Amino acid sequence: MTAAEMLSARVSASEEIRGQALLEAEAVILDLCHRDKITSALVPLQASLAAVYVHRMEAAGEESRKEGEVNVSYAYNKEIPADLMQRILSHRRLKQAEVANAAKKTV
């Protein structure tokens, strides 16, 4: 299952918003993990992060809303949720190891 399919199963936003959210999630994950491409293990995390971004886009800057007795707070408005960040960082590659391995010459 692709990240786009996973995201469309989670949120009912327009295709343009879902696509933009997937691109942003991919860029953030690649930057955090020091990678060049999304691996198969990162696809569900990309969809999860994209879902957070879709909700941010749909909230249009609102941090909370109160209608009558109903109070809604968008806790995910500022940063990546801690549990999701922990899962993403578990796939992080160390830059030092890449630099050290690039300097080695194979015979």
Side-chain angles (χ1 to χ4, degrees), residues 4-67:
E5 292 168 342
M6 289 179 195
L7 182 59
S8 65
R10 289 180 185 199
V11 296
S12 60
S14 70
E15 188 174 332
E16 292 82 17
I17 290 177
R18 289 193 318 258
Q20 182 64 36
L22 282 169
L23 287 175
E24 290 180 21
E26 179 180 10
V28 167
I29 289 171
L30 292 177
D31 187 46
L32 287 172
C33 294
H34 309 296
R35 294 183 179 270
D36 297 326
K37 63 179 183 165
I38 296 288
T39 63
S40 60
L42 287 169
V43 170
L45 298 175
Q46 180 187 9
S48 296
L49 184 56
V52 170
Y53 289 160
V54 166
H55 291 298
R56 282 186 192 169
M57 288 180 209
E58 289 179 337
E62 289 183 345
E63 292 186 22
S64 65
R65 176 188 300 183
K66 184 174 183 180
E67 294 180 15

